[in-house]
Amino acid sequence: LPLGLHVDTNNCCDRRWVTFIAYLKTTSAPSGGHTVFPLATHDSVGYGELHSKLKSAASHLLGMGVQHTGLPGQTEPLWRPHSARCAVDELLLHADRLAAEAATAMYVDPEDAVFWDPSGVGLAVSAV
């Protein structure tokens, strides 16, 4: 995930009525081009240990006023508290793995534009 993750879910509002995402089809399937929702859960799965761990990491960041993980590999930007590092790493690792698996699935079946993580926690929607 070259741009990192947003951990703010809705700018502290109770509800979001609509989200519009426009995809530009300039990325080849093996290269990725996914929007990743690392905390999304399948209805049938419920909230297990992985979801709790990731939600706790995101809540920890929000509690410190951090709404974006920053760029991967840039683990200590000046604006982010040092104690955020573990939470950032946990979220980015899950999201990056999810995007990689989604890209592989898309390469195998180009019609497979929506990819749920096998654990049931995490969703990637292809832009291609």
Side-chain angles (χ1 to χ4, degrees):
L1 297 169
L3 300 177
L5 290 172
H6 282 274
V7 291
D8 58 321
T9 56
N10 199 18
N11 295 324
C12 299
C13 296
D14 289 338
R15 292 190 171 98
R16 176 178 293 176
W17 297 103
V18 67
T19 297
F20 181 80
I21 300 173
Y23 290 105
L24 305 176
K25 294 187 173 218
T26 57
T27 305
S28 63
S31 300
H34 292 83
T35 299
V36 177
F37 302 92
L39 289 171
T41 57
H42 234 270
D43 287 340
S44 61
V45 173
Y47 300 102
E49 184 179 333
L50 177 60
H51 185 267
S52 295
K53 189 166 72 167
L54 294 171
K55 186 174 178 182
S56 176
S59 294
H60 179 67
L61 293 175
L62 289 172
M64 291 187 292
V66 176
Q67 296 187 355
H68 193 274
T69 61
L71 304 176
Q74 187 183 23
T75 55
E76 296 301 328
L78 297 176
W79 51 265
R80 187 173 65 212
H82 178 73
S83 61
R85 183 177 187 172
C86 289
V88 165
D89 289 347
E90 196 158 11
L91 288 166
L92 284 176
L93 285 172
H94 177 66
D96 196 41
R97 183 185 54 75
L98 179 60
E101 288 181 10
T104 300
M106 181 81 179
Y107 184 73
V108 172
D109 182 5
E111 299 299 316
D112 197 8
V114 175
F115 177 81
W116 281 98
D117 186 87
S119 71
V121 179
L123 169 69
V125 180
S126 173
V128 230

